[in-house]
Amino acid sequence: MPQAPQRVGTELLDQIAAVAKQIAELIGPLPTTGIAIPGASWTVGEAAAHLALSNQLMAAIAGGRPSPYGDGTKAGLADANAQSLAEYTEREAAVLAEQVTLHAEAFIQAARLRPGTDVVDTPMGPLPLSVLSAYMLAHSLSHGSAIASALRQAPLVQPRQVELVLPFIVATMPRLVDRAGVGDLRAAFELRIRGVARLTALVADGAVTISEQPQHRADCVISVDPVSFFLLAAGLTGQWSLVARGKLRVWGRRPWLAPRFPRFFAIP
Protein backbone atom coordinates (compact mmCIF):
# COMPACT_ATOMS: atom_id res chain seq x y z
CA MET A 1 0.00 0.00 0.00
CA PRO A 2 1.25 3.53 -0.73
CA GLN A 3 2.40 5.44 2.31
CA ALA A 4 0.38 8.41 3.50
CA PRO A 5 2.08 11.74 2.74
CA GLN A 6 4.19 13.13 5.55
CA ARG A 7 2.45 16.12 7.09
CA VAL A 8 3.91 19.11 8.90
CA GLY A 9 4.40 18.15 12.54
CA THR A 10 1.51 18.91 14.87
CA GLU A 11 3.85 20.26 17.54
CA LEU A 12 5.36 22.76 15.11
CA LEU A 13 1.94 24.04 14.03
CA ASP A 14 0.76 24.19 17.64
CA GLN A 15 3.79 26.31 18.53
CA ILE A 16 3.02 28.71 15.67
CA ALA A 17 -0.46 29.20 17.13
CA ALA A 18 0.86 29.55 20.69
CA VAL A 19 3.47 32.17 19.77
CA ALA A 20 0.93 34.17 17.72
CA LYS A 21 -1.31 34.19 20.80
CA GLN A 22 1.59 35.35 23.01
CA ILE A 23 2.37 38.18 20.62
CA ALA A 24 -1.29 39.21 20.47
CA GLU A 25 -1.45 39.27 24.28
CA LEU A 26 1.60 41.53 24.38
CA ILE A 27 0.25 43.94 21.77
CA GLY A 28 -3.50 43.94 22.33
CA PRO A 29 -3.76 45.91 25.60
CA LEU A 30 -1.28 48.63 24.63
CA PRO A 31 -2.64 52.20 24.63
CA THR A 32 -0.09 53.06 21.93
CA THR A 33 2.15 51.03 19.65
CA GLY A 34 4.59 53.87 19.05
CA ILE A 35 7.09 52.34 21.49
CA ALA A 36 10.64 52.10 20.11
CA ILE A 37 12.24 48.66 19.93
CA PRO A 38 15.77 48.74 21.43
CA GLY A 39 18.49 48.46 18.81
CA ALA A 40 16.04 48.61 15.91
CA SER A 41 14.53 51.26 13.67
CA TRP A 42 10.97 49.93 14.08
CA THR A 43 8.37 50.69 16.71
CA VAL A 44 6.22 47.99 18.30
CA GLY A 45 3.42 48.97 15.94
CA GLU A 46 5.59 48.62 12.86
CA ALA A 47 6.90 45.24 14.01
CA ALA A 48 3.35 44.07 14.73
CA ALA A 49 2.16 45.31 11.35
CA HIS A 50 5.05 43.49 9.70
CA LEU A 51 4.07 40.29 11.53
CA ALA A 52 0.45 40.63 10.42
CA LEU A 53 1.56 41.11 6.81
CA SER A 54 4.17 38.34 6.88
CA ASN A 55 1.73 35.86 8.44
CA GLN A 56 -0.72 36.69 5.67
CA LEU A 57 2.04 36.18 3.09
CA MET A 58 3.07 32.85 4.61
CA ALA A 59 -0.55 31.68 4.64
CA ALA A 60 -0.85 32.50 0.95
CA ILE A 61 2.35 30.59 0.17
CA ALA A 62 1.20 27.58 2.21
CA GLY A 63 -2.08 27.68 0.30
CA GLY A 64 -0.26 27.46 -3.03
CA ARG A 65 -0.83 31.06 -4.13
CA PRO A 66 2.22 32.68 -5.80
CA SER A 67 3.41 35.50 -3.52
CA PRO A 68 6.72 37.05 -4.62
CA TYR A 69 8.38 39.16 -1.93
CA GLY A 70 11.84 40.65 -2.25
CA ASP A 71 14.75 38.78 -3.79
CA GLY A 72 15.96 36.73 -0.83
CA THR A 73 18.80 39.12 0.01
CA LYS A 74 19.02 41.27 3.13
CA ALA A 75 18.70 44.47 1.07
CA GLY A 76 15.90 43.09 -1.10
CA LEU A 77 13.82 41.95 1.87
CA ALA A 78 14.41 45.26 3.66
CA ASP A 79 13.09 47.13 0.61
CA ALA A 80 10.04 44.85 0.42
CA ASN A 81 9.39 45.33 4.14
CA ALA A 82 9.61 49.10 3.86
CA GLN A 83 7.23 49.19 0.91
CA SER A 84 4.69 46.91 2.57
CA LEU A 85 4.71 48.95 5.80
CA ALA A 86 4.25 52.17 3.83
CA GLU A 87 1.18 50.69 2.15
CA TYR A 88 -0.29 49.07 5.28
CA THR A 89 -0.76 51.92 7.74
CA GLU A 90 -2.72 50.15 10.50
CA ARG A 91 -1.05 50.66 13.90
CA GLU A 92 -4.00 50.16 16.28
CA ALA A 93 -2.95 47.62 18.92
CA ALA A 94 -6.17 45.58 19.10
CA VAL A 95 -6.50 45.37 15.32
CA LEU A 96 -2.90 44.26 14.84
CA ALA A 97 -3.20 41.65 17.59
CA GLU A 98 -6.26 40.21 15.86
CA GLN A 99 -4.56 40.20 12.45
CA VAL A 100 -1.44 38.42 13.75
CA THR A 101 -3.50 35.53 15.15
CA LEU A 102 -6.00 35.46 12.27
CA HIS A 103 -3.32 35.01 9.62
CA ALA A 104 -1.33 32.56 11.75
CA GLU A 105 -4.43 30.38 11.96
CA ALA A 106 -4.91 30.67 8.20
CA PHE A 107 -1.34 29.46 7.72
CA ILE A 108 -1.91 26.49 10.03
CA GLN A 109 -5.10 25.48 8.25
CA ALA A 110 -3.39 25.67 4.85
CA ALA A 111 -0.33 23.73 6.06
CA ARG A 112 -2.49 20.91 7.44
CA LEU A 113 -3.93 20.23 3.98
CA ARG A 114 -0.67 19.53 2.14
CA PRO A 115 2.28 17.15 2.48
CA GLY A 116 5.14 18.68 4.41
CA THR A 117 7.46 17.62 1.59
CA ASP A 118 5.76 19.90 -0.96
CA VAL A 119 8.28 22.50 -2.13
CA VAL A 120 7.01 26.09 -2.15
CA ASP A 121 8.52 29.39 -3.24
CA THR A 122 9.32 31.56 -0.20
CA PRO A 123 11.10 34.88 0.40
CA MET A 124 14.17 32.77 1.23
CA GLY A 125 13.96 30.64 -1.91
CA PRO A 126 12.36 27.22 -2.50
CA LEU A 127 11.71 25.29 0.73
CA PRO A 128 9.66 22.24 1.72
CA LEU A 129 6.42 23.20 3.43
CA SER A 130 7.70 21.71 6.70
CA VAL A 131 10.72 24.03 6.54
CA LEU A 132 8.49 26.98 5.64
CA SER A 133 6.55 26.18 8.83
CA ALA A 134 9.81 26.30 10.80
CA TYR A 135 10.52 29.63 9.06
CA MET A 136 7.11 30.90 10.17
CA LEU A 137 7.85 29.98 13.79
CA ALA A 138 11.37 31.44 13.70
CA HIS A 139 10.11 34.70 12.19
CA SER A 140 7.36 35.01 14.81
CA LEU A 141 9.77 34.27 17.67
CA SER A 142 12.30 36.79 16.37
CA HIS A 143 9.91 39.73 16.02
CA GLY A 144 7.87 38.67 19.03
CA SER A 145 11.00 38.68 21.19
CA ALA A 146 11.95 42.11 19.83
CA ILE A 147 8.49 43.41 20.79
CA ALA A 148 8.86 41.80 24.22
CA SER A 149 12.18 43.58 24.77
CA ALA A 150 10.53 46.93 24.00
CA LEU A 151 7.93 46.14 26.66
CA ARG A 152 10.61 45.00 29.15
CA GLN A 153 9.45 41.41 28.94
CA ALA A 154 11.54 38.24 28.57
CA PRO A 155 12.17 36.83 25.07
CA LEU A 156 9.44 34.49 23.87
CA VAL A 157 11.77 31.75 22.63
CA GLN A 158 12.18 28.45 24.50
CA PRO A 159 14.82 25.70 23.96
CA ARG A 160 12.37 23.25 22.37
CA GLN A 161 11.28 25.91 19.90
CA VAL A 162 14.89 26.36 18.81
CA GLU A 163 14.99 22.65 18.03
CA LEU A 164 11.81 23.01 15.95
CA VAL A 165 13.17 25.93 13.88
CA LEU A 166 16.61 24.39 13.33
CA PRO A 167 15.73 22.81 9.94
CA PHE A 168 15.00 26.31 8.62
CA ILE A 169 18.26 27.67 10.01
CA VAL A 170 20.30 24.80 8.54
CA ALA A 171 18.59 25.13 5.15
CA THR A 172 19.03 28.89 4.81
CA MET A 173 22.40 29.69 6.42
CA PRO A 174 24.34 28.86 3.23
CA ARG A 175 21.98 31.12 1.23
CA LEU A 176 22.68 34.09 3.51
CA VAL A 177 26.47 34.04 3.31
CA ASP A 178 28.13 37.44 2.99
CA ARG A 179 31.10 36.70 0.75
CA ALA A 180 32.85 39.87 1.90
CA GLY A 181 32.49 38.74 5.51
CA VAL A 182 33.94 35.33 4.70
CA GLY A 183 36.76 36.68 2.53
CA ASP A 184 39.49 34.14 1.80
CA LEU A 185 39.13 32.27 5.10
CA ARG A 186 39.33 28.48 5.11
CA ALA A 187 38.26 26.92 8.40
CA ALA A 188 36.05 24.32 10.02
CA PHE A 189 33.70 25.39 12.82
CA GLU A 190 31.74 23.13 15.13
CA LEU A 191 28.63 24.75 16.52
CA ARG A 192 27.27 23.02 19.61
CA ILE A 193 23.76 24.15 20.48
CA ARG A 194 23.56 22.69 23.94
CA GLY A 195 21.05 19.89 24.28
CA VAL A 196 19.77 20.45 20.74
CA ALA A 197 22.30 19.81 17.97
CA ARG A 198 25.92 19.79 16.83
CA LEU A 199 26.51 21.42 13.46
CA THR A 200 29.60 21.70 11.30
CA ALA A 201 30.23 24.80 9.20
CA LEU A 202 32.95 24.44 6.57
CA VAL A 203 34.15 27.81 5.31
CA ALA A 204 36.01 27.95 1.99
CA ASP A 205 36.02 29.89 -1.27
CA GLY A 206 33.63 32.54 0.04
CA ALA A 207 30.95 29.98 0.92
CA VAL A 208 29.73 28.20 4.05
CA THR A 209 28.55 24.58 3.95
CA ILE A 210 26.43 23.39 6.89
CA SER A 211 26.33 19.76 7.97
CA GLU A 212 24.81 17.93 10.92
CA GLN A 213 27.82 15.59 10.97
CA PRO A 214 30.37 16.32 13.74
CA GLN A 215 33.73 17.74 12.68
CA HIS A 216 36.47 15.91 14.56
CA ARG A 217 39.20 18.42 13.75
CA ALA A 218 37.34 21.70 13.99
CA ASP A 219 39.49 24.83 14.05
CA CYS A 220 36.99 26.52 16.34
CA VAL A 221 34.31 25.03 18.58
CA ILE A 222 31.46 27.31 19.66
CA SER A 223 29.21 26.08 22.47
CA VAL A 224 26.05 28.10 23.15
CA ASP A 225 22.78 27.51 24.95
CA PRO A 226 19.81 27.25 22.54
CA VAL A 227 17.95 30.41 23.50
CA SER A 228 21.14 32.49 23.29
CA PHE A 229 21.92 30.90 19.92
CA PHE A 230 18.55 31.96 18.56
CA LEU A 231 18.77 35.49 19.94
CA LEU A 232 22.29 35.87 18.55
CA ALA A 233 21.25 34.55 15.13
CA ALA A 234 18.28 36.95 15.12
CA GLY A 235 20.47 39.92 16.03
CA LEU A 236 18.73 40.39 19.38
CA THR A 237 21.81 40.01 21.57
CA GLY A 238 25.58 40.40 21.31
CA GLN A 239 28.36 37.83 21.65
CA TRP A 240 30.27 39.44 24.47
CA SER A 241 27.37 39.65 26.89
CA LEU A 242 26.78 35.92 26.30
CA VAL A 243 30.45 35.15 26.96
CA ALA A 244 30.36 37.16 30.18
CA ARG A 245 27.36 35.18 31.43
CA GLY A 246 28.73 31.77 30.43
CA LYS A 247 26.08 31.33 27.76
CA LEU A 248 28.72 31.05 25.02
CA ARG A 249 32.13 29.36 25.18
CA VAL A 250 34.78 28.80 22.51
CA TRP A 251 37.88 26.64 22.18
CA GLY A 252 39.91 24.78 19.56
CA ARG A 253 43.05 25.34 17.53
CA ARG A 254 41.89 28.78 16.33
CA PRO A 255 39.39 30.06 18.92
CA TRP A 256 40.00 33.67 17.87
CA LEU A 257 37.88 32.97 14.78
CA ALA A 258 34.66 32.77 16.85
CA PRO A 259 33.83 36.51 16.83
CA ARG A 260 33.96 36.45 13.02
CA PHE A 261 31.37 33.68 12.66
CA PRO A 262 28.20 35.84 12.91
CA ARG A 263 29.65 38.23 10.33
CA PHE A 264 29.68 35.45 7.73
CA PHE A 265 25.93 35.88 7.31
CA ALA A 266 23.75 38.78 6.09
CA ILE A 267 20.67 38.05 8.19
CA PRO A 268 17.54 39.83 6.86
Side-chain angles (χ1 to χ4, degrees):
M1 295 178 61
Q3 291 185 341
Q6 183 179 358
R7 300 293 179 180
V8 177
T10 299
E11 183 184 9
L12 177 53
L13 296 179
D14 287 348
Q15 284 296 321
I16 290 171
V19 171
K21 181 181 177 183
Q22 284 181 282
I23 293 169
E25 289 173 348
L26 284 173
I27 299 166
L30 294 175
T32 176
T33 62
I35 304 163
I37 294 177
S41 60
W42 282 356
T43 64
V44 166
E46 289 167 330
H50 171 68
L51 275 172
L53 291 169
S54 61
N55 286 3
Q56 184 178 38
L57 174 72
M58 297 285 201
I61 293 170
R65 298 185 294 279
S67 304
Y69 192 87
D71 60 4
T73 66
K74 182 175 182 178
L77 289 173
D79 288 344
N81 290 341
Q83 180 178 344
S84 65
L85 284 177
E87 294 171 354
Y88 181 65
T89 58
E90 180 62 68
R91 299 295 182 268
E92 181 68 31
V95 175
L96 292 172
E98 181 182 27
Q99 291 297 304
V100 166
T101 54
L102 178 70
H103 295 309
E105 183 56 38
F107 174 88
I108 292 165
Q109 291 178 2
R112 291 193 195 279
L113 298 177
R114 301 177 63 182
T117 52
D118 278 3
V119 176
V120 294
D121 289 324
T122 83
M124 299 295 292
L127 295 171
L129 181 60
S130 60
V131 179
L132 173 67
S133 301
Y135 180 5
M136 174 81 165
L137 179 58
H139 189 262
S140 298
L141 287 169
S142 175
H143 289 291
S145 293
I147 290 171
S149 73
L151 303 178
R152 301 184 182 277
Q153 302 290 321
L156 304 187
V157 62
Q158 300 295 321
R160 174 57 181 158
Q161 294 167 329
V162 177
E163 190 170 358
L164 290 171
V165 304
L166 197 60
F168 164 69
I169 295 173
V170 170
T172 56
M173 282 176 72
R175 306 181 189 187
L176 297 173
V177 171
D178 181 352
R179 294 183 67 88
V182 172
D184 59 359
L185 179 68
R186 300 182 68 89
F189 292 80
E190 184 178 329
L191 181 59
R192 299 185 181 181
I193 308 169
R194 299 171 192 166
V196 173
R198 291 173 64 173
L199 305 176
T200 294
L202 298 177
V203 180
D205 303 321
V208 179
T209 303
I210 305 295
S211 168
E212 296 186 63
Q213 298 299 318
Q215 171 58 245
H216 297 295
R217 290 186 56 80
D219 296 289
C220 181
V221 179
I222 303 171
S223 172
V224 60
D225 81 272
V227 170
S228 297
F229 165 73
F230 182 87
L231 295 176
L232 184 62
L236 298 176
T237 191
Q239 298 178 71
W240 300 116
S241 65
L242 298 179
V243 171
R245 290 181 287 135
K247 301 289 187 179
L248 187 152
R249 294 179 57 239
V250 301
W251 65 89
R253 296 178 297 177
R254 301 162 73 187
W256 57 85
L257 293 176
R260 288 186 59 181
F261 190 80
R263 300 200 296 270
F264 296 160
F265 308 97
I267 306 298

